[in-house]
Amino acid sequence: MTYIVNGRGFDEEPAPGQCLRTFLRQLGHHGVKKGCDAGDCGACTVWVDGTPVHSCITPAFRAEGREVTTIEGLGSPGNLHPVQRRFRDAPGFQCGFCTAGMIMTSAAFTEAQKEDLPRALKGNLCRCTGYRAIEDAVRGVAGVETAAPGKAVGTSVGAPAADDVVTGRAEFTMDTYMDGMLHLKVLHSPHAHARIVSIDRTAALAVPGVQRVYTWEDVPRKRFTTAIHTDHLVDPDDTFVLDDTVRFVGQRVVAVLADTVAAAEEGCRRVVVEYEPLPAVFDPEEAMAEGAPQLHGTADPFVRDPVHNILFELHSHIGDVDAGFAEADVVHEGTYSSPRVQHAHLETHGSIAWMEDGRLNVRTSSQSPSIAKVKLAYLFALRPDQLRVFCKRVGGGFGGKQEVISEDLVALATLDTGRPVCFEYTREEEFTTASPRHPMTLTVRLGAKADGTLTAFQVRNVSNTGAYGNHGGETLFAGGAAVMIYRCPNKKYDAYSVYTNTVPSGALRGYGMTQPAFAVESAMDELARALHMDPLDLRRRNIVRPGDPLVAMHDGPDDVMFTEDGLGKCIDLVDEALARTADEPPGPEWLVGTGVASSLHETAPPTDHVSEAWVTLGDDLVYELSVGTVEFGEGTSTAHVQIAADQLGTTPERIRLVQSDTDRTGFDTGAFASAGLFVAGNAVLRAANAVRDRILEFAAVHTGVHVVLCSMDDDGVVCGDRRVSLAELVALARARGIRFTAARRAYGSPRSVTSNTQGFRIAVHRVTGEIRILRSVQATDAAVVINPAQVRGQVEGGVAQGIGFALTENHQVDADGVMVNPNFRNYRIPTYADVPRTEVLLVESSDSFGPMRSKGMAECCINPVAPALANALHDATGVRHRALPLTPERIYGRLAGSRQAPTGRTT
């Protein structure tokens, strides 16, 4: 069969039934991505005779004799297609995994399609950007700026990998192939709780191409936690690589290793497993009851009460809440629930392992190769020098890749066979086996005086950690931020992380704060209405101000400090923005309402967080910056380069970045909880300052000018009235055996806080319950902004993800514990048509301990979104919804008493 790809003809025979996506990748066109393999996300878009198609659902044989164009054939870094240039200059991407598909789709747009982007982009999903940046790219709106030497901070410079991203040349985890590579697939449990009686692998091993079938008897019998933290003791060791007891539908039972993916999948189908089903429990309240099925034994002392399935519990009180409620003029109590939701990063989990010079190498899609290395070394009894773990560009994370859930199996198989092994999750496996957000149910009780002063604040939080406890305790602790945001002399917080026979929960953007924020901010809105107060005035009266202690669970000393009223400023900015326009409803059948919510977020996690950075001035006069932080769309690569360039008095173009490789970078706990900027950025700042100081000191001695009169000047040093080139200084230093290099570490303490306020004005259809967002505005305490375009993009992306959390997304599980919507089409993350433009307002402050007094923005922006929408819905309809998501079906079901309500009704 003859094919023409990117102008080159060749003869090739695809496998029977092979889709065009895998065929093109087999030919080396790795810009064609896998996001869903169901035609839902558009990451695989290519042109066939100039028409965009989803190659994952296009049979390869249909392209025979036709002109196929991939992103690599559209343009190259030195000769960009106009649309590639626009996506680079907007910038129209964050992680970049969806970008090739977005470009291939939009580069074929007619003018009419450009005027109807909701329809034209309906087949392309982006989880990172919130779509505004993509719209700007399509319309040719540029946001990237050029930085002058030493003036990089505060400038919207482009990402270091921008040209590679828009041309499809940026390498992601699976964008490689090795000779002799084997493929691993997993057989998953059909039972929510069962003991494995026997496993017969005979038929599986008889499948042509199957090399190994691994069961629980073939793996190290070591307990560990898949969660990634520097201190593994904050999580329970309750997990085995493979186990003889399964505790949720989807748990891996057997791993099959074969020459091809198809053979491995067939091998999984041929394995015969005999199970002894056990009683299962899915509701955390039922799991804590007497006589409930017990999921785990008593082997791990971390588990607080295994008999009642309580992984972890917190009980704290400050003052006397009973007395506080007694003196209150108004008491409000409500119970609020948030569902399990998925990260839905477009790049699925996956790892590739191989042996090289007697060492195990693991290439993985992770947010922390350093911690992954520590865990693998423990599991397989390897010395640190026997193991390398590294990441290429990672296609989104949002906390989902703060786990070790693919690396262990490829390491096992490669150490056994000596051959390269690849394990790539399917989209269904992402939904059914990867760790989603914790479902939480919170009962909030608030007491206040008639003037709005809080007298008592009580919260009970029950968190469903699922079958295993990865992140179960830490997310529970993090939820205290929703209590910390308000002053109150009497606080009580009781919280339980509970095992159930459901998919293990994990880390997701907002990390344990998003769900409590929904509950507390909804309750504050209800309290305000009971007091007949403006909800913003109630918040203004009670929010913590500079000088107030940040009290959530205890009133002892901590390392969190703030000296400026960022939260008060955020509230005022959103109030003013919403007051500027009235936002008329689409028609008489629509009700209009306004809602606001706030949140407070610590700028680094309370657990140990450490990062090391190295800076070296090379003989080519380019500074090499080495830092372990992974780039997955959070923008730390760009920020690190900007910080280094700023301190070294040069431009970003003269910084060469090496990252996320345990052989080539220092230790880094990981890119999560905004620590990629706050902690790793400080390490970069210190290393760059150390190299700068060494250069200046050397130049001062060389010129005889006092060092205080010397300054960096791009590719030289100015000493008094003399300028010395870096080339001359490097040559002199080399002759004396001196190198301009330095390594520095930074830690996540002391910490600052950042704050956000989100406002929405929405329209609600009286009959159908549909919500349309008329206006979205978020103010955030960004402190010193490293890159304005990136900060705006992170906030927009967080708001878009929060809209999905609030309105559409729900990990639906049936009575047997089976997820019934494990695909994009039925799970429904927001599309371009669902996401409004968000007005982003930045509050500048200087109380941060971050680099250049900056604060990370990627994590916190999602937290106030859901409660602001819920509050707007109540304002429009007079009906309070205390459970997410706010779907039209749920709204319709409760609108009967308010369909004739006047627009803007409040109660």
Side-chain angles (χ1 to χ4, degrees):
M1 300 175 76
T2 300
Y3 290 85
I4 304 170
V5 179
N6 297 332
R8 186 174 68 87
F10 58 92
D11 294 328
E12 189 76 24
E13 190 79 19
Q18 186 173 20
C19 72
L20 185 58
R21 180 191 71 79
T22 59
F23 183 59
L24 290 170
R25 287 183 62 84
Q26 179 182 306
L27 297 174
H29 302 288
H30 292 140
V32 184
K33 303 301 185 192
K34 183 195 89 169
C36 65
D37 272 352
D40 293 336
C41 76
C44 66
T45 302
V46 300
W47 291 352
V48 176
D49 290 340
T51 299
V53 300
H54 288 183
S55 62
C56 70
I57 55 173
T58 302
F61 76 85
R62 289 189 180 173
E64 181 186 10
R66 302 170 72 181
E67 179 72 39
V68 177
T69 305
T70 73
I71 188 69
E72 294 93 340
L74 195 66
S76 63
N79 185 30
L80 294 179
H81 183 279
V83 175
Q84 291 173 314
R85 187 175 300 109
R86 290 171 188 165
F87 269 78
R88 180 196 65 186
D89 294 345
F93 64 90
Q94 286 181 19
C95 83
F97 197 81
C98 74
T99 307
M102 286 285 182
I103 290 173
M104 295 306 296
T105 298
S106 57
F109 281 167
T110 64
E111 290 303 315
Q113 286 175 307
K114 291 179 184 178
E115 295 305 312
D116 189 9
L117 289 181
R119 177 177 292 276
L121 284 173
K122 68 180 181 179
N124 291 78
L125 297 177
C126 175
R127 190 57 153 172
C128 297
T129 64
Y131 297 101
R132 187 274 313 163
I134 291 170
E135 178 184 343
D136 282 356
V138 171
R139 302 198 187 287
V141 178
V144 168
E145 301 170 334
T146 301
K151 303 293 184 183
V153 169
T155 305
S156 295
V157 303
D163 281 354
D164 288 337
V165 168
V166 300
T167 57
R169 287 160 173 79
E171 275 194 54
F172 291 82
T173 310
M174 293 294 154
D175 294 343
T176 189
Y177 181 79
M178 297 181 178
D179 290 338
M181 188 159 71
L182 300 173
H183 297 269
L184 188 146
K185 297 301 290 185
V186 168
L187 173 68
H188 301 282
S189 169
H191 299 285
H193 199 192
R195 186 174 294 109
I196 295 173
V197 177
S198 65
I199 300 175
D200 185 349
R201 56 186 115 188
T202 306
L205 287 169
V207 173
V210 170
Q211 302 291 332
R212 299 283 194 281
V213 177
Y214 299 108
T215 74
W216 68 270
E217 297 176 297
D218 304 307
V219 303
R221 198 65 179 166
K222 292 182 177 180
R223 294 180 182 272
F224 76 112
T225 175
T226 61
I228 284 177
H229 292 111
T230 302
D231 181 3
H232 71 94
L233 296 177
V234 302
D235 304 296
D237 290 330
D238 59 3
T239 304
F240 291 106
V241 174
L242 294 170
D243 203 351
D244 60 349
T245 299
V246 292
R247 297 176 175 87
F248 70 97
V249 174
Q251 180 167 334
R252 55 196 194 186
V253 176
V254 170
V256 176
L257 191 64
D259 296 339
T260 65
V261 171
E265 290 175 339
E266 181 61 24
C268 288
R269 287 189 284 269
R270 298 287 185 91
V271 174
V272 178
V273 183
E274 181 184 354
Y275 298 94
E276 177 191 345
L278 300 172
V281 61
F282 306 112
D283 179 84
E285 293 284 2
E286 295 176 5
M288 288 191 287
E290 293 293 336
Q294 184 178 335
L295 271 70
H296 292 273
T298 58
D300 187 357
F302 184 94
V303 180
R304 294 300 194 267
D305 183 356
V307 173
H308 296 96
N309 295 305
I310 298 173
L311 163 68
F312 190 77
E313 56 186 305
L314 290 169
H315 301 286
S316 65
H317 70 275
I318 297 158
D320 184 340
V321 291
D322 291 335
F325 285 120
E327 69 171 292
D329 294 315
V330 173
V331 174
H332 164 75
E333 181 173 337
T335 298
Y336 307 84
S337 61
S338 302
R340 182 181 286 108
V341 294
Q342 240 288 331
H343 310 79
H345 35 69
L346 289 195
E347 181 197 40
T348 61
H349 284 85
S351 299
I352 300 171
W354 69 95
M355 300 300 295
E356 186 174 323
D357 298 328
R359 301 176 72 221
L360 176 66
N361 289 258
V362 180
R363 169 172 168 154
T364 185
S365 184
S366 172
Q367 290 177 231
S368 177
S370 292
I371 303 294
K373 176 179 176 176
V374 170
K375 290 185 180 294
L376 293 177
Y378 160 73
L379 285 171
F380 299 104
L382 299 173
R383 298 190 313 270
D385 63 307
Q386 294 177 302
L387 175 62
R388 173 197 181 200
V389 180
F390 69 101
C391 301
K392 290 295 187 177
R393 194 172 183 91
V394 171
F398 314 112
K401 294 170 181 176
Q402 197 184 333
E403 306 274 355
V404 173
I405 56 175
S406 64
E407 297 88 347
D408 53 345
L409 287 179
V410 295
L412 168 77
T414 290
L415 289 169
D416 176 38
T417 64
R419 292 176 63 178
V421 173
C422 173
F423 177 30
E424 182 179 18
Y425 272 44
T426 65
R427 180 55 57 187
E428 182 172 336
E429 286 174 322
E430 283 292 329
F431 279 113
T432 59
T433 71
S435 299
R437 189 187 298 284
H438 291 73
M440 290 184 184
T441 298
L442 294 99
T443 298
V444 181
R445 193 175 185 220
L446 302 173
K449 303 292 284 183
D451 65 357
T453 302
L454 289 176
T455 61
F457 195 153
Q458 184 173 359
V459 174
R460 182 179 186 267
N461 182 2
V462 177
S463 174
N464 186 343
T465 196
Y468 296 93
N470 44 308
H471 300 282
E474 287 301 286
T475 51
L476 206 65
F477 187 84
V483 179
M484 180 175 66
I485 189 172
Y486 296 112
R487 295 189 310 274
C488 184
N490 307 298
K491 292 183 178 181
K492 192 171 190 294
Y493 184 73
D494 297 294
Y496 305 84
S497 181
V498 185
Y499 286 122
T500 65
N501 293 113
T502 58
V503 61
S505 303
L508 203 163
R509 191 181 210 161
Y511 198 79
M513 288 170 277
T514 312
Q515 308 94 310
F518 167 66
V520 169
E521 289 300 294
S522 296
M524 285 292 286
D525 198 78
E526 292 192 71
L527 178 64
R529 295 175 188 279
L531 289 164
H532 304 288
M533 285 185 68
D534 184 304
L536 285 181
D537 288 340
L538 179 64
R539 289 176 172 83
R540 290 184 178 106
R541 178 171 290 276
N542 291 286
I543 59 172
V544 290
R545 305 277 187 178
D548 292 332
L550 293 170
V551 175
M553 301 178 199
H554 64 85
D555 54 4
D558 59 35
D559 65 343
V560 182
M561 299 175 60
F562 76 114
T563 60
E564 298 186 35
D565 186 19
L567 180 54
K569 294 175 183 176
C570 287
I571 290 173
D572 291 343
L573 284 175
V574 168
D575 193 12
E576 293 165 6
L578 290 172
R580 282 199 296 267
T581 58
D583 298 309
E584 292 298 318
E589 69 277 17
W590 295 84
L591 305 168
V592 173
T594 300
V596 176
S598 296
S599 68
L600 206 64
H601 185 273
E602 295 163 348
T603 53
T607 51
D608 293 341
H609 207 109
V610 60
S611 183
E612 184 173 354
W614 308 336
V615 174
T616 301
L617 178 58
D619 291 343
D620 58 357
L621 307 184
V622 173
Y623 296 95
E624 183 170 277
L625 168 61
S626 299
V627 62
T629 308
V630 179
E631 176 60 59
F632 54 90
E634 82 282 22
T636 52
S637 296
T638 312
H640 291 166
V641 167
Q642 288 181 260
I643 292 166
D646 198 88
Q647 298 306 295
L648 293 164
T650 188
T651 62
E653 291 74 21
R654 295 190 60 245
I655 307 293
R656 180 171 54 245
L657 183 63
V658 177
Q659 61 188 146
S660 56
D661 186 332
T662 61
D663 269 11
R664 302 180 63 197
T665 63
F667 183 89
D668 184 90
T669 295
F672 51 87
S674 293
L677 177 67
F678 190 82
V679 183
N682 265 330
V684 170
L685 178 75
R686 294 169 188 176
N689 283 345
V691 169
R692 178 199 63 199
D693 291 347
R694 290 182 183 183
I695 293 171
L696 293 177
E697 289 165 3
F698 187 87
V701 171
H702 173 61
T703 60
V705 175
H706 196 283
V707 69
V708 299
L709 299 177
C710 299
S711 61
M712 303 297 293
D713 184 35
D714 196 9
D715 61 350
V717 177
V718 174
C719 297
D721 56 1
R722 178 182 172 186
R723 187 180 190 278
V724 186
S725 70
L726 286 181
E728 180 181 347
L729 293 174
V730 168
L732 288 169
R734 187 170 60 244
R736 301 177 192 177
I738 297 172
R739 294 179 67 218
F740 297 127
T741 185
R744 292 291 184 271
R745 285 193 169 199
Y747 300 85
S749 181
R751 297 175 294 154
S752 313
V753 296
T754 189
S755 48
N756 307 73
T757 296
Q758 173 71 40
F760 284 110
R761 185 165 292 122
I762 67 171
V764 184
H765 198 279
R766 296 171 185 266
V767 177
T768 66
E770 177 191 352
I771 288 178
R772 290 187 187 177
I773 300 174
L774 306 178
R775 181 166 297 277
S776 171
V777 56
Q778 184 169 131
T780 182
D781 174 14
V784 174
V785 176
I786 302 293
N787 188 305
Q790 283 197 164
V791 168
R792 180 185 178 191
Q794 290 299 321
V795 173
E796 291 169 334
V799 171
Q801 203 166 21
I803 289 170
F805 171 53
L807 300 185
T808 62
E809 297 181 42
N810 192 359
H811 196 285
Q812 297 176 22
V813 178
D814 69 13
D816 296 317
V818 179
M819 186 183 183
V820 299
N821 59 331
N823 52 65
F824 281 142
R825 189 164 304 182
N826 295 317
Y827 178 77
R828 281 216 58 214
I829 69 171
T831 66
Y832 174 90
D834 300 316
V835 181
R837 282 210 169 207
T838 293
E839 182 181 0
V840 179
L841 306 172
L842 302 181
V843 173
E844 294 192 9
S845 59
S846 59
D847 63 349
S848 174
F849 295 102
M852 319 287 289
R853 299 205 172 276
S854 62
K855 297 179 181 179
M857 289 291 107
E859 184 97 16
C860 55
C861 46
I862 192 174
N863 293 332
V865 175
L869 279 167
N871 293 339
L873 176 60
H874 180 268
D875 188 47
T877 66
V879 178
R880 172 60 61 175
H881 290 259
R882 295 174 177 167
L884 298 176
L886 306 172
T887 60
E889 295 83 0
R890 288 182 174 182
I891 297 169
Y892 168 81
R894 298 185 60 200
L895 266 179
S898 62
R899 285 181 192 150
Q900 303 306 314
T903 299
R905 170 178 173 175
T906 60
T907 60

